[in-house]
Amino acid sequence: MELGEDGDDRIEEPGAGEDMGCRVLDDLQPMLKMILYEFHLSDEQLLDIMDRFSKEMVKGLDKQTSSTAVLKMLPTFVQSIPDGSESGDLLALELGDSTICVMRVKVAEDGVRSLKIQSKVYPIMETLEQGTGNELFDYVAECLGDFMGSQGIKDKRLPMGISFPFPCRHTRLDEGILISWTKRFKATGVQGVNVVNMLRKSIEKQKDYMVDVLALVNDTVGVMMGCGFEDSFCEIGLIIGTGTNACYMEEMSHIDMIESDEGQMCINTEWGAFGDNGTLEDIRTEFDREIDSGSLNPGKQLFEKMISGMYMGELVRLILVKLVQKGILFKGQTTPELLTNGTIETKHIISIDKPRVGLYNAREMLSDLGMENASGEECLALQHICGVVSLRSASLCAATLGAILNRLKENRKQPQLRTTVGVDGNVYKKNRLHMIVRRLVPSCEVRFLLSEDGSGKGAAIVTAVAYR
């Protein structure tokens, strides 16, 4: 599904250089305006962030500096997007933030370019996310076996691809050494280990089915390849959901870690770590620092903590708490719900940051937080806070994406670039991101294509390419 400029969630944007407080009623308290102004990023700042990101990309690609670079720029060993010749009966396994999705993907049956997908989703308990790696992968293998049993294919040995949303160092397509867990995962005994081998050993324990694991890909690569099946211009994968990351097709001659200079290879930027070396300290707010200090990984994934869905709700809650404690909102009266970590989620931000129904949703959420008598102005203030946090997220995402677009344009030595970005994630705002990207990189004609089946479909496509 292509995402154009029309849609039912159109957002009016501040123009270049305008104060992000322009949509707030003039009579709102000065303290509210001052706090929200900290989230304001001018186009000049965003262009500067683009430049900083570009320099970090170069460090990550250079063999001499890659070991200390915050952007790991990991080679994925995916060297081409789909060309239409892929076919086969394949399995895909997508490890998500709190779920496992197992898919059976039939590619190009009867000589027709098509995809037929059957899938089943299994929950991942928090005890598994933070238990041992062996327990986690044993559970993944059990889910895979259950799905194959439901499909009646335990007697078949099918090729399989895995979408794995954590930074891994590859030496080939079917090997990935976990560098570090991100988001909520902390399973022990996995970092520094080949996760494909761990899964293979867990599959062997099942004893009643076999699969051939041909590919392990980052979820951004899965998004890019899945969208690439529909659009051959797709050469960037972007995820902006619970976490955030991006990948793109880089010239082999620019990848120091790979000896060959021929062709291209997809690079997993692992951009969530942008800023871990202090390069974003001038734009981080007191609320960003509070979220980081209370996280499972303080000092890590600082860019992700500024823009992704796992943290946006908490940003809004912390802003509200400060405004209440200063006596600016709700007559200075807090509630246990407002003071509880995690009571505001990304889904609330998305529902409030909408025209027409946003103010109604704001009042509903405030009621859930124990503030049943919120005034219209207070509902408007909450809507504006959600809009400002969301707009900063889109702005920072547009800046880093703009740096990747400029790099693709420079690689081709062309004044104009036409390309497609495959996108997945519930934080993605079509009009908002489009508008900012157009302002920052006017020389790039960009189509955004929403991934309809997640990254698992792309993992199957990568497997089909490898199988081919």
Side-chain angles (χ1 to χ4, degrees):
M1 179 175 67
E2 182 176 2
L3 299 180
E5 296 178 14
D6 296 321
D8 59 5
D9 60 347
R10 182 176 299 278
I11 303 291
E12 291 184 11
E13 302 293 346
E18 289 181 5
D19 186 346
M20 291 193 335
C22 65
R23 288 189 291 156
V24 177
L25 296 178
D26 290 338
D27 58 354
L28 283 177
Q29 296 280 356
M31 177 64 78
L32 173 61
K33 293 184 179 181
M34 185 179 74
I35 289 174
L36 295 186
Y37 189 78
E38 294 183 56
F39 288 81
H40 167 67
L41 294 171
S42 67
D43 282 2
E44 290 73 20
Q45 287 175 294
L46 294 176
L47 289 168
D48 182 47
I49 291 167
M50 281 176 59
D51 184 60
R52 299 180 208 181
F53 189 82
S54 297
K55 291 175 180 175
E56 297 297 336
M57 290 175 72
V58 173
K59 291 179 185 177
L61 290 169
D62 191 320
K63 187 184 296 184
Q64 302 299 318
T65 54
S66 61
S67 62
T68 57
V70 290
L71 296 184
K72 294 306 178 186
M73 304 298 287
L74 301 170
T76 65
F77 290 81
V78 172
Q79 295 182 253
S80 65
I81 57 177
D83 64 7
S85 64
E86 298 78 25
S87 63
D89 191 358
L90 312 160
L91 291 170
L93 194 154
E94 179 181 344
L95 187 67
D97 301 313
S98 58
T99 61
I100 298 164
C101 181
V102 187
M103 298 180 176
R104 184 182 184 184
V105 183
K106 294 182 179 181
V107 184
E109 279 193 307
D110 303 320
V112 178
R113 182 175 169 82
S114 64
L115 286 177
K116 292 183 180 178
I117 300 174
Q118 294 171 292
S119 64
K120 187 173 180 179
V121 176
Y122 301 84
I124 304 177
M125 301 298 110
E126 186 176 348
T127 52
L128 288 172
E129 294 175 343
Q130 301 186 23
T132 71
N134 287 333
E135 290 169 341
L136 175 62
F137 285 103
D138 285 352
Y139 175 68
V140 173
E142 289 172 13
C143 295
L144 177 59
D146 177 80
F147 176 78
M148 292 181 70
S150 69
Q151 291 285 307
I153 54 175
K154 279 194 170 183
D155 60 332
K156 296 185 177 183
R157 185 165 182 155
L158 298 179
M160 185 174 80
I162 305 169
S163 170
F164 192 71
F166 306 99
C168 289
R169 199 170 302 283
H170 287 261
T171 56
R172 57 179 189 262
L173 187 59
D174 65 344
E175 177 183 272
I177 311 299
L178 179 65
I179 297 173
S180 62
W181 289 116
T182 58
K183 298 181 273 289
R184 285 181 282 262
F185 279 75
K186 283 284 185 179
T188 59
V190 188
Q191 288 187 207
V193 177
N194 179 3
V195 295
V196 175
N197 280 349
M198 289 193 74
L199 180 58
R200 283 172 175 156
K201 289 176 182 177
S202 293
I203 289 172
E204 288 173 6
K205 294 179 187 178
Q206 298 297 304
K207 296 183 178 178
D208 61 345
Y209 72 89
M210 290 295 293
V211 297
D212 289 324
V213 182
L214 299 187
L216 177 80
V217 299
N218 185 262
D219 52 349
T220 57
V221 181
V223 167
M224 183 190 77
M225 293 295 283
C227 292
F229 189 80
E230 301 176 36
D231 182 341
S232 61
F233 283 94
C234 186
E235 52 189 336
I236 298 175
L238 168 64
I239 289 181
I240 176 71
T242 305
T244 184
N245 192 17
C247 69
Y248 73 103
M249 296 300 293
E250 177 62 89
E251 300 300 316
M252 292 279 278
S253 58
H254 297 161
I255 308 173
D256 261 8
M257 294 80 79
I258 305 295
E259 292 185 5
S260 173
D261 284 344
E262 297 297 321
Q264 295 181 313
M265 181 177 288
C266 182
I267 290 292
N268 167 21
T269 66
E270 286 297 331
W271 79 9
F274 180 42
D276 286 6
N277 59 351
T279 54
L280 295 178
E281 284 308 300
D282 58 320
I283 64 168
R284 292 177 72 218
T285 68
E286 62 180 284
F287 308 104
D288 296 310
R289 293 185 173 90
E290 186 171 349
I291 280 179
D292 178 49
S293 65
S295 69
L296 290 172
N297 54 348
K300 304 293 184 183
Q301 299 294 108
L302 297 184
F303 184 67
E304 182 170 80
K305 290 170 184 172
M306 295 175 75
I307 78 169
S308 74
M310 186 171 174
Y311 306 98
M312 286 174 63
E314 189 63 7
L315 275 172
V316 169
R317 189 188 71 84
L318 292 175
I319 294 170
L320 279 179
V321 169
K322 180 166 184 176
L323 290 169
V324 174
Q325 291 176 341
K326 293 285 187 182
I328 296 167
L329 294 177
F330 317 121
K331 300 178 181 178
Q333 301 298 310
T334 61
T335 65
E337 293 86 355
L338 179 62
L339 296 177
T340 301
N341 188 308
T343 50
I344 300 179
E345 302 176 32
T346 302
K347 64 182 180 182
H348 299 129
I349 310 304
I350 294 170
S351 69
I352 293 170
D353 185 29
K354 284 185 175 181
R356 296 186 295 277
V357 298
L359 285 175
Y360 173 80
N361 294 333
R363 187 175 296 280
E364 287 269 297
M365 196 193 81
L366 288 174
S367 179
D368 291 341
L369 292 175
M371 299 171 179
E372 293 89 353
N373 299 316
S375 68
E377 186 180 71
E378 288 168 333
C379 292
L380 180 63
L382 174 58
Q383 185 181 45
H384 185 64
I385 292 167
C386 292
V388 165
V389 169
S390 181
L391 179 57
R392 187 187 70 159
S393 171
S395 298
L396 288 171
C397 183
T400 47
L401 179 59
I404 292 176
L405 291 168
N406 274 340
R407 184 167 184 88
L408 291 177
K409 183 165 66 73
E410 291 164 6
N411 284 349
R412 294 176 186 171
K413 298 178 173 59
Q414 295 175 348
Q416 292 286 130
L417 173 72
R418 184 205 183 287
T419 193
T420 297
V421 180
V423 189
D424 193 19
N426 60 356
V427 180
Y428 174 66
K429 281 279 189 180
K430 49 188 175 184
N431 297 322
R432 184 167 280 170
L433 186 59
H434 289 193
M435 182 174 291
I436 305 170
V437 167
R438 281 199 301 269
R439 290 205 314 262
L440 298 179
V441 282
S443 59
C444 296
E445 180 188 342
V446 186
R447 180 192 186 207
F448 289 83
L449 188 62
L450 187 63
S451 173
E452 294 184 332
D453 296 293
S455 60
K457 179 177 78 172
I461 298 298
V462 174
T463 304
V465 172
Y467 195 60
R468 180 185 67 199

